[in-house]
Amino acid sequence: MIKELLMAGFLALEDYIAKHVITCLIPAFLLAGAMVTFIDKTLIIKYLGSEANRLRSFSLASISSFLLAACSCTVIPVASGLYYTGASIGVAFIILWVAPAANILALIYTGAILGTKMVLSRIVSALLMAFIVGLVMVLIFERRPKESLLKAEAGEKSIIPKKYLILIILILLSLLSPNYLVRSGPYWHKVLVWAFFTFIMVIYAFTNIPKEKINDWLRETWWFIRLIFPLLLLGVFIVGIIGKILPEEWIKTWLGGKSLSASFFATLIGAVSYFATMTEAPFVDTLMKLGMGKGPALALLLTGPGISLPNWLAIAKVFGVKKTLAYIPTVIILGTLVGWFFGNFIF
Amino acid sequence: MEIIVAGPGCPRCITTENNVKKACEELGLEAKITHLTDVKLFPQLGIIFTPAVVINGQVVVSGKVPTVEELKEILSKFAK
């Protein structure tokens, strides 16, 4: 019995990792490393802190969350830093929500495993939820706009110099083209496409980027690999075993179809348990193969990495219990509704 | 010299602290090194991105793990 379970775990590992390491994970980590190294985050945060217009600051917060680093360990200090230096509570919680629920690493991996439609739904619903969460937090806790301590001076340097932007676009190409251009055929087709674009990217990097910066970039990339890869391996392994243990009937009864209750259970599972970034995708994939509905799957994809028990505690410690008690139920209600809506009207 | 390493206690911050200690050791510097994990205090120090290193009240590293070499360069400026 134990041997069988271990085998299931290893099979899952072989399946997911072998098919994703070269064409998906490596470029994704390179991309994350490049964004951390080359994008001037301080400037983004300055703009965010000084932007008084709510609609504009909310949009800016949502979009920049895609670009800010992926691990939740960065996100809480950034959000609290913004809040305590004077940004709106809405902006802080939007970052707290979007960065883990829809960061670029997780989105890419979701696309590779679950397909384009699911990843688009994930982006749209994460943004939608972000705006509502921001609005709710502002309505409850902040009647008057705050005076910010941060000021963006006019004419300051740009967020990202052009030559780095080109590099990031090239990495994106090496990442997206194998997974989206090559839809069928054997795996080595993808590798070939990947190798071609990576070759161009490497040539560009070595001829246009200072050596020092390349070192910084590779060092940041290595950090992402060291932080996330072991968690991902472990996550996929556990997912393989869970898929073997869980009876299909349970999944079909509790998480199947597109009912409101299925969405609610999926949201609840996601809201309580901790998913390291990216592990939610294979987990959802396994559950879907066992009969989970698409709507509940989306709900789990969002709340799984978005919130977890340890993250409730961390938020409570930094922002206070009251704000946490407003934030978590809002996310749970929204997640349930989003899962139900997409399950019934979109998928 | 007073050095503060600030971070929420993540692996990157721990590496940063170790690098700071190593750099001080290699330079033979006497410094008081504290690891600050209370993120509420970060804005008062002018820190937004972690891990961050603050020397004598001045933020010298923010948002990345500095190498021992980089730290030695920064530290030797302050040691003068």
Side-chain angles (χ1 to χ4, degrees), chain A residues 155-341:
Chain A
E156 247 182 308
K157 56 185 184 344
S158 68
I159 286 173
I160 177 164
K162 212 171 175 184
K163 60 178 175 185
Y164 298 136
L165 185 65
I166 296 175
L167 179 71
I168 286 184
I169 292 172
L170 285 174
I171 304 172
L172 259 179
L173 272 179
S174 78
L175 178 64
L176 297 179
S177 49
N179 294 309
Y180 291 89
L181 288 182
V182 188
R183 290 248 159 236
S184 52
Y187 183 62
W188 63 268
H189 283 180
K190 282 191 180 192
V191 178
L192 218 61
V193 174
W194 168 80
F196 174 72
F197 283 101
T198 305
F199 183 69
I200 298 176
M201 187 267 285
V202 169
I203 301 262
Y204 176 83
F206 277 98
T207 46
N208 288 279
I209 313 282
K211 198 164 166 273
E212 207 177 290
K213 284 282 174 192
I214 291 186
N215 284 340
D216 281 355
W217 167 37
L218 293 180
R219 196 152 7 104
E220 287 299 336
T221 304
W222 178 233
W223 264 110
F224 275 110
I225 295 176
R226 257 174 61 188
L227 273 180
I228 298 176
F229 202 57
L231 287 174
L232 189 61
L233 289 180
L234 186 71
V236 169
F237 186 76
I238 294 174
V239 165
I241 293 177
I242 289 178
K244 191 90 183 164
I245 303 177
L246 274 184
E248 269 187 68
E249 282 83 75
W250 284 20
I251 312 255
K252 285 206 177 101
T253 324
W254 296 99
L255 299 170
K258 43 192 173 183
S259 65
L260 205 55
S261 67
S263 261
F264 177 70
F265 282 120
T267 307
L268 217 54
I269 294 173
V272 175
S273 48
Y274 171 76
F275 287 87
T277 199
M278 297 164 92
T279 48
E280 76 280 3
F283 183 66
V284 167
D285 186 36
T286 305
L287 288 186
M288 279 174 82
K289 280 178 188 148
L290 292 174
M292 183 195 217
K294 279 186 173 172
L298 179 65
L300 182 53
L301 272 182
L302 288 163
T303 53
I307 51 177
S308 62
L309 259 181
N311 149 295
W312 300 8
L313 299 177
I315 294 174
K317 208 174 132 219
V318 174
F319 288 97
V321 175
K322 262 195 237 160
K323 294 191 181 81
T324 315
L325 285 180
Y327 173 63
I328 304 291
T330 308
V331 168
I332 292 178
I333 293 168
L334 286 175
T336 307
L337 290 177
V338 159
W340 173 80
F341 178 83

Side-chain angles (χ1 to χ4, degrees), chain A residues 41 73 219-220 223 227 318, chain B residues 10 12 15 39-40 49 67:
Chain A
K41 290 172 288 182
C73 128
R219 196 152 7 104
E220 287 299 336
W223 264 110
L227 273 180
V318 174
Chain B
C10 60
R12 287 162 67 90
T15 312
V39 296
K40 268 192 201 167
F49 289 99
T67 59

Side-chain angles (χ1 to χ4, degrees), chain B:
Chain B
M1 195 186 295
E2 210 187 325
I3 305 174
I4 301 171
V5 177
C10 60
R12 287 162 67 90
C13 316
I14 293 162
T15 312
T16 305
E17 189 189 358
N18 291 338
N19 285 359
V20 169
K21 281 181 184 156
K22 225 186 220 164
C24 285
E25 230 168 69
E26 286 178 23
L27 288 172
L29 274 179
E30 286 274 327
K32 189 180 153 234
I33 303 169
T34 28
H35 193 143
L36 188 68
T37 51
D38 187 354
V39 296
K40 268 192 201 167
L41 299 173
F42 291 179
Q44 292 167 20
L45 292 166
I47 300 165
I48 293 178
F49 289 99
T50 54
V53 179
V54 182
I55 302 178
N56 294 343
Q58 193 183 333
V59 183
V60 289
V61 176
S62 171
K64 68 171 205 169
V65 179
T67 59
V68 178
E69 289 307 311
E70 282 167 352
L71 283 166
K72 273 161 81 174
E73 206 172 291
I74 298 168
L75 282 168
S76 50
K77 275 183 207 154
F78 278 86
K80 272 172 199 166

